[in-house]
Each structure stands twice: as structure tokens, then as C-alpha cells.
Amino acid sequence: MKRILFIAILGLLACPTNASAQQSAKKYVKQGIERFSKGDIAGAIVEYNRALTIDPKLSDAYLNRGKAKRAAGDLDGAITDYETVCELDPQLAMNSHDITEAYLNRGYIRSNRLDLDGALTDFDRAIALNPNDAEAYFKRGRAFLIEGNAKYAIADFDKSISLDDRNPLVYAERGFAHQTQGQSGEAQKDFERGLKLNNDLRLMLDLHLLDLQIQIKEMRRRQAAIQRNIAGLTLDNPTGAGSQRRAPAA
């Protein structure tokens, strides 16, 4: 009996309890936060890695490592960590502005590269995390507009303006969207409102819309090339079917 008790005590001494392991993991997270605050991003990531080695389900470690990776320029790596946070602790993810911002940043990069499917997926995720983010609706509306879905774009611009009516660029882009739909009266109202919010400085809005038109023109060129390829495939395979754009997530 004494021998069994002795072995049990040795086991307890050799293996820390779950509580002590969690405390150790949280200690590394705290050290990582301190390093990050001092600008030591690489050192912070090392500390978060140590924490996750001890507790692979510690959501705070993933969240903070995601922040550090994003600061280091590894946006995809950051979002991978953020997605783990969403799985482990949905409430923490909903309360984190950093996660929403990461999706918005990557979505905007993808949009500028005309990877619109990827961009719209990121904007959908951002809106799911924060349904009251005016910027998310604005950027998703822009992606829809570049893609050629003016109806969806206007709906997102409307929502963005309902949340924040002080952004002149939203009015400029909604005006452009109305214009493409032949709604010249609505377009003119939006252009005038955007110009007023921009203190009557027309150049910035003109340059912004010029950039938008360049992206739309390039997207049309790519879409036309895809349609030509599809037409060729259809001749070879008459039963082939194309895909259709899904409606925006609420």
C-alpha cells in the first residue's frame, strides 16, 4: 500500500495538473503580449507557440498570435489562427475587432487583384462577425460592382450608409452603380452628396472612380475571355453547365 501511494505521489510530482499547465500556458501568453507591446513580434510569436504546445486549445494564444502574425505581414497565417479562434471560442471572435479587420484587409487585397470570389468570401466572414461594420458593406459592395452585380452593390452601399452616412466614397460608388442602371437622377444626388462630404474636392473622388472603372474594365475583359472559353467547351460538350453567382450573405 505504501509503495502504491509512493508511486502515485511521484506521478503527481512528475506530471503537472491541468490547472498548473493552464497557468503555465497563460503565463507564456502574458509574456508574449509584453514582448509584442515592446515591438518584439518574433519573440511574441515564440511565447504564443510555447503556450499552444502546453494547451493547444487556448483561444487567447491563437488570437494574440494572429495579431502578431498580422503585424509581421503574414495575413494568411493570421487568419488561419483567427479561424481557430472562431471554432474554439465564437464569442471571443465576435468581440474581436482585429479578426474583422483581418478579413477586411485580405478581402480588399483580393478585390484589388480581381480575385472576387475570395474577396466576397472574406467580406462575408467579416460581416458575419460584425453585422454593424459599415466599411465591410462598402467594400463588399465595391467587389459586387466590379463583378458586374450593381443590384447587390447598391444594396450593400445602402446598408453601409445606414450605418455611417459620412463616407463620401460610398456615395460616389453608389452613384456610379445607379448610373450603370440608368438611374441618372439617383446617381446625380449621390455624386452631389459625396462631393459635399468631401468639402467640394472633386479630384479625389474622380481619381477613386477612375480606379474603379479601370478595375471594372479589366474584369469585363477577363469575363469575356472566360465566356469565350466556355462557349468553346460547350461546343465540345453540349451538356456542360456554367456556374451562377450566389446572393450576398446577410
Side-chain angles (χ1 to χ4, degrees), residues 201-218:
L201 300 175
R202 183 180 296 274
L203 181 60
M204 187 190 83
L205 296 182
D206 286 346
L207 290 174
H208 181 80
L209 290 177
L210 177 61
D211 177 64
L212 175 63
Q213 291 176 68
I214 290 171
Q215 289 186 309
I216 290 173
K217 184 176 180 180
E218 173 59 19

PDB file of all heavy atoms in Angstrom, residues 201-218:
ATOM      1  N   LEU A 201     -14.037  68.857 -52.881  1.00  0.00           N
ATOM      2  CA  LEU A 201     -12.772  68.487 -53.528  1.00  0.00           C
ATOM      3  C   LEU A 201     -13.055  67.339 -54.500  1.00  0.00           C
ATOM      4  O   LEU A 201     -13.111  66.164 -54.107  1.00  0.00           O
ATOM      5  CB  LEU A 201     -11.739  68.091 -52.480  1.00  0.00           C
ATOM      6  CG  LEU A 201     -11.377  69.178 -51.458  1.00  0.00           C
ATOM      7  CD1 LEU A 201     -10.421  68.623 -50.395  1.00  0.00           C
ATOM      8  CD2 LEU A 201     -10.737  70.374 -52.180  1.00  0.00           C
ATOM      9  N   ARG A 202     -13.218  67.676 -55.765  1.00  0.00           N
ATOM     10  CA  ARG A 202     -13.650  66.708 -56.771  1.00  0.00           C
ATOM     11  C   ARG A 202     -12.546  65.738 -57.176  1.00  0.00           C
ATOM     12  O   ARG A 202     -12.810  64.585 -57.520  1.00  0.00           O
ATOM     13  CB  ARG A 202     -14.157  67.460 -58.012  1.00  0.00           C
ATOM     14  CG  ARG A 202     -14.707  66.562 -59.106  1.00  0.00           C
ATOM     15  CD  ARG A 202     -15.189  67.385 -60.284  1.00  0.00           C
ATOM     16  NE  ARG A 202     -16.299  68.230 -59.910  1.00  0.00           N
ATOM     17  CZ  ARG A 202     -17.575  67.825 -59.913  1.00  0.00           C
ATOM     18  NH1 ARG A 202     -17.869  66.576 -60.247  1.00  0.00           N
ATOM     19  NH2 ARG A 202     -18.536  68.639 -59.569  1.00  0.00           N
ATOM     20  N   LEU A 203     -11.277  66.190 -57.131  1.00  0.00           N
ATOM     21  CA  LEU A 203     -10.183  65.394 -57.689  1.00  0.00           C
ATOM     22  C   LEU A 203     -10.085  64.014 -57.047  1.00  0.00           C
ATOM     23  O   LEU A 203      -9.937  63.002 -57.741  1.00  0.00           O
ATOM     24  CB  LEU A 203      -8.853  66.138 -57.532  1.00  0.00           C
ATOM     25  CG  LEU A 203      -7.614  65.411 -58.093  1.00  0.00           C
ATOM     26  CD1 LEU A 203      -7.771  65.152 -59.587  1.00  0.00           C
ATOM     27  CD2 LEU A 203      -6.350  66.218 -57.810  1.00  0.00           C
ATOM     28  N   MET A 204     -10.180  63.957 -55.707  1.00  0.00           N
ATOM     29  CA  MET A 204     -10.033  62.669 -55.035  1.00  0.00           C
ATOM     30  C   MET A 204     -11.129  61.697 -55.453  1.00  0.00           C
ATOM     31  O   MET A 204     -10.866  60.521 -55.731  1.00  0.00           O
ATOM     32  CB  MET A 204     -10.075  62.841 -53.513  1.00  0.00           C
ATOM     33  CG  MET A 204      -9.770  61.559 -52.744  1.00  0.00           C
ATOM     34  SD  MET A 204     -10.108  61.689 -50.964  1.00  0.00           S
ATOM     35  CE  MET A 204     -11.877  61.366 -50.923  1.00  0.00           C
ATOM     36  N   LEU A 205     -12.369  62.197 -55.535  1.00  0.00           N
ATOM     37  CA  LEU A 205     -13.475  61.329 -55.927  1.00  0.00           C
ATOM     38  C   LEU A 205     -13.324  60.885 -57.383  1.00  0.00           C
ATOM     39  O   LEU A 205     -13.603  59.737 -57.723  1.00  0.00           O
ATOM     40  CB  LEU A 205     -14.809  62.051 -55.731  1.00  0.00           C
ATOM     41  CG  LEU A 205     -15.176  62.413 -54.290  1.00  0.00           C
ATOM     42  CD1 LEU A 205     -16.547  63.073 -54.242  1.00  0.00           C
ATOM     43  CD2 LEU A 205     -15.157  61.183 -53.400  1.00  0.00           C
ATOM     44  N   ASP A 206     -12.879  61.809 -58.242  1.00  0.00           N
ATOM     45  CA  ASP A 206     -12.681  61.464 -59.655  1.00  0.00           C
ATOM     46  C   ASP A 206     -11.620  60.382 -59.810  1.00  0.00           C
ATOM     47  O   ASP A 206     -11.790  59.437 -60.596  1.00  0.00           O
ATOM     48  CB  ASP A 206     -12.279  62.705 -60.461  1.00  0.00           C
ATOM     49  CG  ASP A 206     -13.448  63.652 -60.698  1.00  0.00           C
ATOM     50  OD1 ASP A 206     -14.599  63.229 -60.474  1.00  0.00           O
ATOM     51  OD2 ASP A 206     -13.214  64.802 -61.103  1.00  0.00           O
ATOM     52  N   LEU A 207     -10.516  60.515 -59.076  1.00  0.00           N
ATOM     53  CA  LEU A 207      -9.447  59.510 -59.147  1.00  0.00           C
ATOM     54  C   LEU A 207      -9.930  58.166 -58.611  1.00  0.00           C
ATOM     55  O   LEU A 207      -9.585  57.107 -59.150  1.00  0.00           O
ATOM     56  CB  LEU A 207      -8.218  59.992 -58.368  1.00  0.00           C
ATOM     57  CG  LEU A 207      -7.440  61.155 -58.985  1.00  0.00           C
ATOM     58  CD1 LEU A 207      -6.341  61.626 -58.038  1.00  0.00           C
ATOM     59  CD2 LEU A 207      -6.839  60.753 -60.331  1.00  0.00           C
ATOM     60  N   HIS A 208     -10.715  58.215 -57.547  1.00  0.00           N
ATOM     61  CA  HIS A 208     -11.253  56.980 -56.964  1.00  0.00           C
ATOM     62  C   HIS A 208     -12.151  56.277 -57.979  1.00  0.00           C
ATOM     63  O   HIS A 208     -12.038  55.053 -58.170  1.00  0.00           O
ATOM     64  CB  HIS A 208     -12.036  57.315 -55.699  1.00  0.00           C
ATOM     65  CG  HIS A 208     -12.601  56.115 -55.008  1.00  0.00           C
ATOM     66  ND1 HIS A 208     -11.849  55.302 -54.195  1.00  0.00           N
ATOM     67  CD2 HIS A 208     -13.860  55.579 -55.025  1.00  0.00           C
ATOM     68  CE1 HIS A 208     -12.611  54.317 -53.731  1.00  0.00           C
ATOM     69  NE2 HIS A 208     -13.825  54.461 -54.220  1.00  0.00           N
ATOM     70  N   LEU A 209     -13.028  57.012 -58.627  1.00  0.00           N
ATOM     71  CA  LEU A 209     -13.935  56.416 -59.600  1.00  0.00           C
ATOM     72  C   LEU A 209     -13.182  55.952 -60.851  1.00  0.00           C
ATOM     73  O   LEU A 209     -13.563  54.959 -61.474  1.00  0.00           O
ATOM     74  CB  LEU A 209     -15.034  57.408 -59.984  1.00  0.00           C
ATOM     75  CG  LEU A 209     -16.061  57.696 -58.885  1.00  0.00           C
ATOM     76  CD1 LEU A 209     -17.064  58.747 -59.346  1.00  0.00           C
ATOM     77  CD2 LEU A 209     -16.797  56.415 -58.486  1.00  0.00           C
ATOM     78  N   LEU A 210     -12.109  56.659 -61.196  1.00  0.00           N
ATOM     79  CA  LEU A 210     -11.291  56.233 -62.339  1.00  0.00           C
ATOM     80  C   LEU A 210     -10.654  54.877 -62.055  1.00  0.00           C
ATOM     81  O   LEU A 210     -10.651  53.984 -62.923  1.00  0.00           O
ATOM     82  CB  LEU A 210     -10.210  57.272 -62.633  1.00  0.00           C
ATOM     83  CG  LEU A 210      -9.231  56.920 -63.769  1.00  0.00           C
ATOM     84  CD1 LEU A 210      -9.986  56.760 -65.090  1.00  0.00           C
ATOM     85  CD2 LEU A 210      -8.153  57.999 -63.890  1.00  0.00           C
ATOM     86  N   ASP A 211     -10.139  54.722 -60.841  1.00  0.00           N
ATOM     87  CA  ASP A 211      -9.554  53.439 -60.452  1.00  0.00           C
ATOM     88  C   ASP A 211     -10.612  52.338 -60.489  1.00  0.00           C
ATOM     89  O   ASP A 211     -10.345  51.210 -60.945  1.00  0.00           O
ATOM     90  CB  ASP A 211      -8.957  53.556 -59.048  1.00  0.00           C
ATOM     91  CG  ASP A 211      -8.396  52.233 -58.544  1.00  0.00           C
ATOM     92  OD1 ASP A 211      -7.430  51.730 -59.146  1.00  0.00           O
ATOM     93  OD2 ASP A 211      -8.924  51.697 -57.557  1.00  0.00           O
ATOM     94  N   LEU A 212     -11.815  52.650 -60.018  1.00  0.00           N
ATOM     95  CA  LEU A 212     -12.908  51.690 -60.049  1.00  0.00           C
ATOM     96  C   LEU A 212     -13.239  51.279 -61.482  1.00  0.00           C
ATOM     97  O   LEU A 212     -13.390  50.087 -61.779  1.00  0.00           O
ATOM     98  CB  LEU A 212     -14.145  52.295 -59.384  1.00  0.00           C
ATOM     99  CG  LEU A 212     -15.440  51.468 -59.428  1.00  0.00           C
ATOM    100  CD1 LEU A 212     -15.269  50.155 -58.667  1.00  0.00           C
ATOM    101  CD2 LEU A 212     -16.598  52.273 -58.851  1.00  0.00           C
ATOM    102  N   GLN A 213     -13.299  52.255 -62.383  1.00  0.00           N
ATOM    103  CA  GLN A 213     -13.622  51.960 -63.780  1.00  0.00           C
ATOM    104  C   GLN A 213     -12.548  51.108 -64.448  1.00  0.00           C
ATOM    105  O   GLN A 213     -12.851  50.231 -65.258  1.00  0.00           O
ATOM    106  CB  GLN A 213     -13.807  53.271 -64.547  1.00  0.00           C
ATOM    107  CG  GLN A 213     -15.054  54.034 -64.144  1.00  0.00           C
ATOM    108  CD  GLN A 213     -15.171  55.361 -64.848  1.00  0.00           C
ATOM    109  OE1 GLN A 213     -15.379  55.411 -66.066  1.00  0.00           O
ATOM    110  NE2 GLN A 213     -15.022  56.446 -64.108  1.00  0.00           N
ATOM    111  N   ILE A 214     -11.291  51.349 -64.088  1.00  0.00           N
ATOM    112  CA  ILE A 214     -10.191  50.542 -64.644  1.00  0.00           C
ATOM    113  C   ILE A 214     -10.339  49.087 -64.204  1.00  0.00           C
ATOM    114  O   ILE A 214     -10.172  48.153 -65.007  1.00  0.00           O
ATOM    115  CB  ILE A 214      -8.822  51.106 -64.201  1.00  0.00           C
ATOM    116  CG1 ILE A 214      -8.566  52.455 -64.899  1.00  0.00           C
ATOM    117  CG2 ILE A 214      -7.701  50.125 -64.513  1.00  0.00           C
ATOM    118  CD1 ILE A 214      -7.336  53.190 -64.361  1.00  0.00           C
ATOM    119  N   GLN A 215     -10.669  48.885 -62.928  1.00  0.00           N
ATOM    120  CA  GLN A 215     -10.853  47.523 -62.421  1.00  0.00           C
ATOM    121  C   GLN A 215     -12.053  46.845 -63.085  1.00  0.00           C
ATOM    122  O   GLN A 215     -11.998  45.655 -63.432  1.00  0.00           O
ATOM    123  CB  GLN A 215     -11.021  47.541 -60.907  1.00  0.00           C
ATOM    124  CG  GLN A 215      -9.735  47.871 -60.154  1.00  0.00           C
ATOM    125  CD  GLN A 215      -9.899  47.734 -58.656  1.00  0.00           C
ATOM    126  OE1 GLN A 215     -10.824  48.273 -58.076  1.00  0.00           O
ATOM    127  NE2 GLN A 215      -9.006  46.997 -58.026  1.00  0.00           N
ATOM    128  N   ILE A 216     -13.138  47.605 -63.260  1.00  0.00           N
ATOM    129  CA  ILE A 216     -14.325  47.046 -63.914  1.00  0.00           C
ATOM    130  C   ILE A 216     -14.010  46.655 -65.357  1.00  0.00           C
ATOM    131  O   ILE A 216     -14.400  45.579 -65.829  1.00  0.00           O
ATOM    132  CB  ILE A 216     -15.486  48.059 -63.868  1.00  0.00           C
ATOM    133  CG1 ILE A 216     -16.000  48.213 -62.430  1.00  0.00           C
ATOM    134  CG2 ILE A 216     -16.622  47.626 -64.792  1.00  0.00           C
ATOM    135  CD1 ILE A 216     -17.037  49.304 -62.256  1.00  0.00           C
ATOM    136  N   LYS A 217     -13.292  47.518 -66.061  1.00  0.00           N
ATOM    137  CA  LYS A 217     -12.939  47.236 -67.454  1.00  0.00           C
ATOM    138  C   LYS A 217     -12.092  45.976 -67.566  1.00  0.00           C
ATOM    139  O   LYS A 217     -12.312  45.121 -68.434  1.00  0.00           O
ATOM    140  CB  LYS A 217     -12.178  48.433 -68.044  1.00  0.00           C
ATOM    141  CG  LYS A 217     -11.850  48.275 -69.527  1.00  0.00           C
ATOM    142  CD  LYS A 217     -11.182  49.527 -70.064  1.00  0.00           C
ATOM    143  CE  LYS A 217     -10.855  49.383 -71.540  1.00  0.00           C
ATOM    144  NZ  LYS A 217     -10.188  50.612 -72.066  1.00  0.00           N
ATOM    145  N   GLU A 218     -11.106  45.821 -66.650  1.00  0.00           N
ATOM    146  CA  GLU A 218     -10.260  44.637 -66.677  1.00  0.00           C
ATOM    147  C   GLU A 218     -11.078  43.394 -66.325  1.00  0.00           C
ATOM    148  O   GLU A 218     -10.875  42.323 -66.914  1.00  0.00           O
ATOM    149  CB  GLU A 218      -9.103  44.806 -65.684  1.00  0.00           C
ATOM    150  CG  GLU A 218      -8.228  43.571 -65.497  1.00  0.00           C
ATOM    151  CD  GLU A 218      -7.563  43.066 -66.758  1.00  0.00           C
ATOM    152  OE1 GLU A 218      -7.462  43.835 -67.742  1.00  0.00           O
ATOM    153  OE2 GLU A 218      -7.156  41.889 -66.763  1.00  0.00           O
TER     154      GLU A 218
END
